[in-house]
């Protein structure tokens, strides 16, 4: 059973013992997106942390990728205090890239899945129609190869989020910040091992984005999951966990 901790300014899930994994969710995602990964790796010699990113708690002008990355770096220093493996989906991958670039002393390795940072089809362009439930349902389904993965619970959560003015403003700020904060010219400075796990049918960060990451990062390995969209850890959790475990385990000192 998962459990949350609240310490200082952090709200996070913590489970297991061993090498620390820090999970970074996307702009429209949440901690539950990683349930299968948390349950799997917490029994395989890893300690899994999943912090809630401050997407809605920063000031409007401070709501950007750089400040979320500062939050994550501080979380690692305060709560873990050793090198971690960052695992980020979508915006979370982008944040992981920034933390890895600016704080390599905190990062053992990096895992990107459907990561922004180079190019993404922004969900933000659909917000003028946010009051239309069927439209939001359609856009949520497009995130996955199999639209059935977008359960009513997921669609309801997205619909509720995009219909709250305070949240929608911050989502737009983050989306614009992500587009401006392009990582192309600095990828070569990120030296730690990077695992890229990508859905072959990702419509948000298409396959060519994964190829560009592999070509730009000095130590990157790319894995594909077929019949899979933007969130492989949700759509094909067993395959995702298998790939990640086989890539990561030989690199980790289990003490």
């Amino acid at each position: 059973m998962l459990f949350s901790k609240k310490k200082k300014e952090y709200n996070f899930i913590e489970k297991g013992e061993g090498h620390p994994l820090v999970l970074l969710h996307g702009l429209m995602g949440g901690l539950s997106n990683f349930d299968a990964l948390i349950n799997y790796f917490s029994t395989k010699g890893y300690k899994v942390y999943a912090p809630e990113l401050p997407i809605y708690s920063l000031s409007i002008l401070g709501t950007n990728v750089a400040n979320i990355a500062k939050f994550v770096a501080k979380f690692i220093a305060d709560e873990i205090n050793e090198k971690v493996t960052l695992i980020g989906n979508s915006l979370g991958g982008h944040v992981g890239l920034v933390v890895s670039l600016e704080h390599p002393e905190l990062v053992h390795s990096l895992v990107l899945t459907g990561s922004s940072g180079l190019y993404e089809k922004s969900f933000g362009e659909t917000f003028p129609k946010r009051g239309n439930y069927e439209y939001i349902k359609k856009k949520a389904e497009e995130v996955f190869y199999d639209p059935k993965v977008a359960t009513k619970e997921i669609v309801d959560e997205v619909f509720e989020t995009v219909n709250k003015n305070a949240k929608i403003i911050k989502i737009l700020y983050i989306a614009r910040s992500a587009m401006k904060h392009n990582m192309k010219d600095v990828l070569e400075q990120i030296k730690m091992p990077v695992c890229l796990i990508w859905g072959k049918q990702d419509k948000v960060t298409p396959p060519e984005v994964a190829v560009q990451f592999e070509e730009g990062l000095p130590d990157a390995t790319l894995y594909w999951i077929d019949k899979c969209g933007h969130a492989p850890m949700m759509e094909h959790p067993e395959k995702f966990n298998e790939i990640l475990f086989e890539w990561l385990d030989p690199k980790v000192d289990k003490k």
Side-chain angles (χ1 to χ4, degrees), residues 91-114:
L91 173 69
H94 199 162
V95 171
L97 284 162
V98 176
V99 175
S100 299
L101 175 69
E102 298 185 355
H103 298 280
E105 74 282 1
L106 298 177
V107 183
H108 167 277
S109 47
L110 175 64
V111 182
L112 304 177
T113 182

Side-chain angles (χ1 to χ4, degrees), residues 180-199:
K180 290 178 181 178
H181 201 138
N182 191 283
M183 305 291 292
K184 180 180 178 181
D185 294 335
V186 295
L187 290 180
E188 63 182 13
Q189 300 175 40
I190 298 173
K191 306 293 187 182
M192 65 281 296
V194 181
C195 179
L196 303 162
I197 306 177
W198 230 264

Side-chain angles (χ1 to χ4, degrees), residues 8-50:
K8 305 170 190 173
E9 67 267 44
Y10 309 118
N11 181 26
F12 62 98
I13 290 169
E14 176 183 351
K15 190 174 183 182
E17 294 296 334
H19 174 78
L21 309 181
V22 177
L23 312 182
L24 305 175
H25 62 79
L27 179 57
M28 303 302 296
L31 304 187
S32 63
N33 295 173
F34 290 105
D35 280 354
L37 189 154
I38 294 168
N39 289 325
Y40 179 86
F41 279 91
S42 63
T43 65
K44 296 287 186 179
Y46 294 88
K47 189 164 189 175
V48 187
Y49 297 84

